Amino acid sequence: MATTIQKPRGTQDVLPKQIAIWQYIEQQLRETCTRFNYKEIRTPMFEHIELFKRGVGDTTDIVSKEMYDFFDKGNRHIALRPEGTASTVRAYVENKLYGETDIQKLYYLGPMFRYERAQKGRLRQFNQFGIEALGSFDPMIDAEVVALAMDFYQNLGLANIKLVINTLGDLESRLAHRQALVAHFTPVVEELCQDCQSRLEKNPLRILDCKVDAKHPSMATAPKIIDYLNDESRVYFETVLATLTQMEIPYVVDPTLVRGLDYYNHTAFEIMLDDPNFGAQTTLCGGGRYNGLVEQLGGPATPGIGFGLGIERLILALEQQNVTLPITDQLDVYVMGLGANAKTASAKLLNQVRQAGLSGEMDYQGRGMKAMFKAANRVQAKYAIILGEEELANHVCQVKNLVEATQETIALNDVVAYLQANQ
Ligand code: HAM
């Protein structure tokens, strides 16, 4: 036998027996977006790398280390998208969506790519759902964005979720904070990792997000943005929090929360699974405000806020909490033809059943009656239709209700109507 080829590290096959969960989650996401009035946008899975690598200041792992990039046959430097915000903003600018309405509320769902150290809940190709609200700098919309994510998780029946929120302030506040960070870390810079040494100059805020130096004593005493906010930023944040309280959405303010992408300002949040059994990966959802990104990508000054949530991590959390989703994987009908003519007639009948909007299956393996009943049970058919040569001669069939174990003889011409009436 030829050697088998396996999927690349950090990727997953979603098999038919798992697909119902995926489809249910996707359907819930779309339904949630309909209720909150967000419209879907679909952008390419690859983009020019400059969209994500926007300048020397970007010192995040996602952009500087984890990008899947390559030169295509036309020698263009391409990257598989590591996230959806930059792509959405690019499409917003390129298609002048800002001219259509004053506010665009968008959502997307699809694979993202990051060359990460693969482990449970951390993949190199993962699926992300995200929303982006572009065109409003109103604390109510920050609260709405958070509310959408919380609403979705709660409707699924996920327990022990915790909203952690912080503000990164506006530019003025962040510059003041930055100065304080530089002053704080400069005396100990030699003790920090190579990356942090270069972060000190380029983007000292990123030091707080360093996995290597997380336990260095200087981390715990680092200056917190909350102490450097100007009045406007502080009032904005307080209004976001007050709105969440009004909406009865519990939150925890974490002044050390720093997100893994560089475009954030003002509101930043994560939704964590607060469950000690879950293991290393606990962030289910992350997002925040990114006023300035639209201008950076060539559009008019437009504020924006959004979040992204991973579907694979969500499924792990649902499995771990043994949440049963209301998934029905039942077929309406299993049609059994016994004998050559009856088999042809059953193919015809099954086609009529399907055309009428019902779901159905028949045997294609030449199996006998007993095996066909087993197959009908396997697909959880509600009805079995039995069609033998004798029934065919009389233009009837037996319709067996497999749930209630009752059986009736029905004229072939009436079967579809009978099934429709008895769903
Ligand atoms: P992010 O925090 O990088 O934010 O990713 C959001 C979510 O995607 C994470 O909380 C996690 O559930 C999932 N995720 C990220 N990386 C992986 C991975 N390697 N394997 C599995 N799941 C993963 C963003 O991507 C921002 N674009 C969110 C945003 C939208 N901010 C504003 N608008």
Side-chain angles (χ1 to χ4, degrees), residues 62 66 82-86 108 112-114 116 119 121-132 153 259-261 263-264 269-271 281 283-290 304-314:
I62 295 173
E66 296 169 357
E83 57 116 21
T85 309
Y108 47 85
M112 307 289 162
F113 307 84
R114 295 183 191 176
E116 296 215 60
Q119 50 176 275
R122 188 183 290 167
L123 294 152
R124 291 182 175 171
Q125 175 178 327
F126 60 98
N127 285 274
Q128 205 187 57
F129 163 81
I131 68 169
E132 311 294 349
Y153 286 132
R259 304 268 306 119
L261 288 149
Y263 45 61
Y264 291 109
F269 69 95
E270 291 190 344
I271 299 174
Q281 278 306 328
T283 308
L284 293 176
C285 169
R289 186 161 272 290
Y290 47 84
I305 179 162
F307 71 73
L309 67 82
I311 310 285
E312 287 85 354
R313 272 186 209 176
L314 167 62

Side-chain angles (χ1 to χ4, degrees), residues 107 212 283 294 346:
Y107 81 88
V212 182
T283 308
V294 177
S346 66

